Amino acid sequence: DPSIAKDLFNHLKKFDVIPMIADDKYMYVNNVYNHLLNPRSHVDNDGSMINIIEYEARPANHLIREMSDFASDVDFPLHKILIAADPVYLLDNFEAISEPFKKKLTCVFSAPFYYEFTDQGVDKANTLNKVLEPLGMSAENVIAFGDGHNDKTLLEFAHIGVAMDNAEDEVKAIATHITHSNNEDGIATALSKYNLI
């Protein structure tokens, strides 16, 4: 909802986070050069320092654009609002960041350095269910894999929910099975265990 998004963008100004939004072609940040040069835009990803803006934009082939004030300048539909920050900072502040919006939005970590906001009910399980219905399939036909908080609903939905060995503890706690990490062929190992390959 545009009015909720505006309130969220204004609220985020109180925190040391980098908001990012995207449309089909562009990923938008407040200040491209500041973010590219600023040390806070470089976060620890399993022992490697990465530039978070490049890390987010490159896989989707997004061009990067500036938008100085998301609260007043966004004029296109938003599928999600993503913020990035130092993982320790996010862990210390995510509750204060999300508190005013918990009843209006789905607020969840998608990586230690990412926290994202979507409309209520927009999550991987609901999306997969909508894809399965026209195919005449249900959760009974699904094996799902995940490692982050944003995968929890998916693993709970699936008949077999598999957590990667590098998954968050909360994700492992709800999984049917825990496999090797994503760097150790964990998906192939689990598919083999269930005689699916």
Side-chain angles (χ1 to χ4, degrees):
D1 181 280
S3 65
I4 297 173
K6 180 175 181 176
D7 290 345
L8 175 58
F9 288 133
N10 282 323
H11 178 66
L12 291 174
K13 293 174 185 177
K14 303 172 190 172
F15 300 92
D16 189 18
V17 299
I18 298 173
M20 293 181 270
I21 57 174
D23 60 19
D24 291 339
K25 186 173 182 182
Y26 297 103
M27 188 181 85
Y28 298 84
V29 295
N30 295 134
N31 184 322
V32 173
Y33 295 109
N34 184 48
H35 291 336
L36 290 174
L37 299 174
N38 192 324
R40 76 183 177 96
S41 69
H42 293 75
V43 298
D44 185 358
N45 181 29
D46 290 331
S48 297
M49 294 304 286
I50 57 169
N51 182 289
I52 198 63
I53 294 171
E54 181 182 1
Y55 182 82
E56 180 62 18
R58 194 173 294 276
N61 291 319
H62 277 122
L63 300 173
I64 301 171
R65 271 189 145 172
E66 284 187 355
M67 185 178 288
S68 59
D69 186 1
F70 290 153
S72 62
D73 297 342
V74 171
D75 61 357
F76 56 87
L78 294 173
H79 303 294
K80 74 175 179 180
I81 296 169
L82 178 67
I83 60 172
D86 174 76
V88 175
Y89 180 86
L90 264 186
L91 197 57
D92 289 344
N93 290 277
F94 80 93
E95 291 179 351
I97 291 170
S98 62
E99 183 57 39
F101 302 93
K102 281 184 177 177
K103 294 182 180 176
K104 301 174 184 177
L105 299 171
T106 298
C107 315
V108 66
F109 278 95
S110 51
F113 45 81
Y114 279 155
Y115 197 72
E116 62 185 43
F117 305 86
T118 57
D119 204 9
Q120 282 272 309
V122 175
D123 61 38
K124 293 183 180 184
N126 284 330
T127 301
L128 183 59
N129 193 42
K130 288 186 184 305
V131 170
L132 292 174
E133 282 177 358
L135 300 173
M137 300 172 77
S138 70
E140 291 295 314
N141 305 106
V142 175
I143 179 170
F145 299 84
D147 59 2
H149 290 101
N150 63 335
D151 296 317
K152 284 173 64 178
T153 61
L154 180 63
L155 298 191
E156 289 171 329
F157 170 81
H159 177 63
I160 301 171
V162 182
M164 311 306 289
D165 189 54
N166 55 299
E168 301 289 336
D169 289 341
E170 290 177 36
V171 177
K172 289 180 178 179
I174 62 158
T176 309
H177 174 72
I178 299 171
T179 188
H180 298 307
S181 78
N182 57 327
N183 293 322
E184 301 170 309
D185 297 324
I187 291 176
T189 301
L191 292 174
S192 178
K193 170 185 169 60
Y194 289 102
N195 298 315
L196 296 171
I197 56 170

